[in-house]
Amino acid sequence: MNKDFKHIEKYAEEYNIPIMEKSGIRFLTKYIEQNKIKNILEIGSAIGYSAILMASSNQETMVTTIERDETRYIEALKNIKEFGLEKRITLILGDALDLDIKDKYDLIFIDAAKGQYTKFFKKYSNNLKDDGVIITDKINNSIYFLMRNLRQLVDKIKRYITFLNENTSFNTRFYKVGDGISVSKLKCE
């Protein structure tokens, strides 16, 4: 990973802000490069780490990213500006479930409230371009099994995985990289 990102990674660790695992972000940026993804909607900006890396993976890639926590939103704005990506990354402060976004995207990246994954998927799948893809991070249940008080979250992630497997409008593949990633490709009609 580029040395320029070390201070963002350190900030995330210091303030206990979840960011993508390095192998997961490598998988995601490689996917963007290989598939020539130009337009991305990210649900869950946190401090802008993944948005910056996604936008940096291809000079033509534009990212719209949503964050509901104002403190994280302000930190993300600062980080995006530091990398000179204000013209390629649009940051929206708000709850993704309350927003009404009309644009269409090549890729939708879900990495927000784990218990809301199915709602995010259902709400934003209509914002995919034909042959678009939804990528979800942190779907590996085993990391949550270690924490007994997170049983409800584990159950919600299991239900999300079942939802993905049973969704006939998408072909979904699961990858054991980072904290677990799913890639759900919209079937062409």
Side-chain angles (χ1 to χ4, degrees):
M1 214 40 62
N2 189 324
K3 288 180 186 175
D4 295 338
F5 293 96
K6 293 288 184 210
H7 70 286
I8 296 175
E9 294 165 355
K10 184 177 178 187
Y11 180 93
E13 185 177 345
E14 186 176 328
Y15 291 95
N16 200 26
I17 297 169
I19 59 173
M20 285 191 81
E21 294 280 328
K22 290 184 181 184
S23 60
I25 197 73
R26 279 193 297 271
F27 176 91
L28 181 60
T29 55
K30 186 176 180 182
Y31 187 94
I32 292 166
E33 290 171 32
Q34 290 177 338
N35 292 280
K36 298 176 178 40
I37 302 293
K38 293 192 172 43
N39 202 351
I40 300 170
L41 174 63
E42 177 184 39
I43 301 168
S45 311
I47 56 175
Y49 181 74
S50 51
I52 291 166
L53 285 162
M54 287 188 291
S56 299
S57 67
N58 178 341
Q59 292 302 314
E60 296 177 29
T61 299
M62 305 292 282
V63 178
T64 299
T65 183
I66 304 167
E67 178 54 49
R68 70 179 185 181
D69 180 277
E70 190 171 358
T71 303
R72 291 179 182 186
Y73 169 85
I74 291 167
E75 189 66 22
L77 279 175
K78 184 182 94 175
N79 291 331
I80 290 164
K81 183 175 179 151
E82 178 184 336
F83 282 86
L85 292 169
E86 310 94 320
K87 291 184 177 156
R88 296 193 23 236
I89 300 175
T90 302
L91 185 58
I92 299 170
L93 177 61
D95 187 320
L97 293 174
D98 296 334
L99 297 173
D100 187 24
I101 294 178
K102 302 285 187 214
D103 294 333
K104 297 280 186 178
Y105 300 90
D106 301 313
L107 186 151
I108 296 173
F109 177 55
I110 302 174
D111 189 14
K114 313 306 167 247
Q116 303 299 321
Y117 276 3
T118 303
K119 288 180 183 178
F120 292 140
F121 192 103
K122 287 178 178 178
K123 178 176 174 81
Y124 286 101
S125 60
N126 293 325
N127 292 88
L128 275 181
K129 292 181 181 177
D130 293 341
D131 204 31
V133 66
I134 297 177
I135 296 180
T136 309
D137 189 34
K138 293 182 183 67
I139 60 163
N140 181 353
N141 283 326
S142 63
I143 61 174
Y144 301 111
F145 277 125
L146 299 174
M147 301 169 217
R148 303 190 92 204
N149 60 339
L150 296 177
R151 186 75 200 146
Q152 286 182 323
L153 181 58
V154 170
D155 291 341
K156 286 180 181 179
I157 292 172
K158 281 182 179 179
R159 284 194 297 274
Y160 180 65
I161 291 168
T162 300
F163 164 79
L164 293 176
N165 282 324
E166 293 175 353
N167 191 321
T168 57
S169 298
F170 289 82
N171 287 318
T172 298
R173 294 188 61 193
F174 298 92
Y175 297 88
K176 293 181 179 182
V177 294
D179 292 322
I181 291 178
S182 66
V183 176
S184 302
K185 190 158 185 60
L186 185 61
K187 293 179 182 176
C188 295
E189 294 184 27

